[in-house]
Amino acid sequence: MEIGYIIAMIGLGCMIGLSGAGSAIGLAISGQSLVGALKKNPSCFGAAFVPFTMPATQGLYGFVGFIMYNGVITSDFTVFQGAVVFGAGIAMGIACLLSAMNQGKICASGIAAIGSGHTALSGQTIILGAFPEFYAILSLVAAILMQ
């Protein structure tokens, strides 16, 4: 087993682990806001549900990247090949981690407003929440191009 294989597997772990952690944290942030909004206004669930779920996608991007790379990694990977996967994993993992966490904060603010009766803000919250999402998508595209 080459050291390149070990480096690549660490990269894959970072890719899926950090992106999944980001989604979990982002969902916890937006979920807390959703629970508070439902206490104020039980009828706001429909308008607030999509903003609540938005941070979940970064974990899915990490999983897509993991599936793509996992299929090509072999035990005789060179150090260079392993370093490419490691770089893709770190870049994508950190981008998805930070993107999901901050998206959760944006969505939480919108959900709080929706819970206060401003249901028209649902679409605007989704639009604003899409901006951090864009950078998670870019990290997936970069990881694809690095393959």
Side-chain angles (χ1 to χ4, degrees), residues 10-25 58-59 62 86 88-101:
I10 293 170
L12 281 184
C14 292
M15 182 182 288
I16 191 133
L18 293 172
S19 63
S23 283
I25 294 167
Q58 284 84 342
F86 182 77
I90 289 290
M92 188 172 174
I94 291 172
C96 287
L97 172 74
L98 296 175
S99 169
M101 289 172 56

Side-chain angles (χ1 to χ4, degrees), residues 30-31 33 46 67-68 77 79 82 88-90 102 106 120 129 140 142 146:
S30 63
S33 186
I67 294 296
M68 286 181 1
F77 245 38
V79 172
I90 289 290
N102 289 300
I106 291 170
L140 176 60
M146 290 173 74

Side-chain angles (χ1 to χ4, degrees), residues 44-52 54 103 106-107 109-115 117-132:
C44 76
F45 183 77
F49 184 72
V50 172
F52 156 70
M54 288 180 74
Q103 187 177 52
I106 291 170
C107 292
S109 295
I111 291 167
I114 292 166
H118 303 286
T119 55
L121 290 177
S122 182
Q124 294 163 331
T125 299
I126 293 168
I127 290 168
L128 292 172
F131 284 97

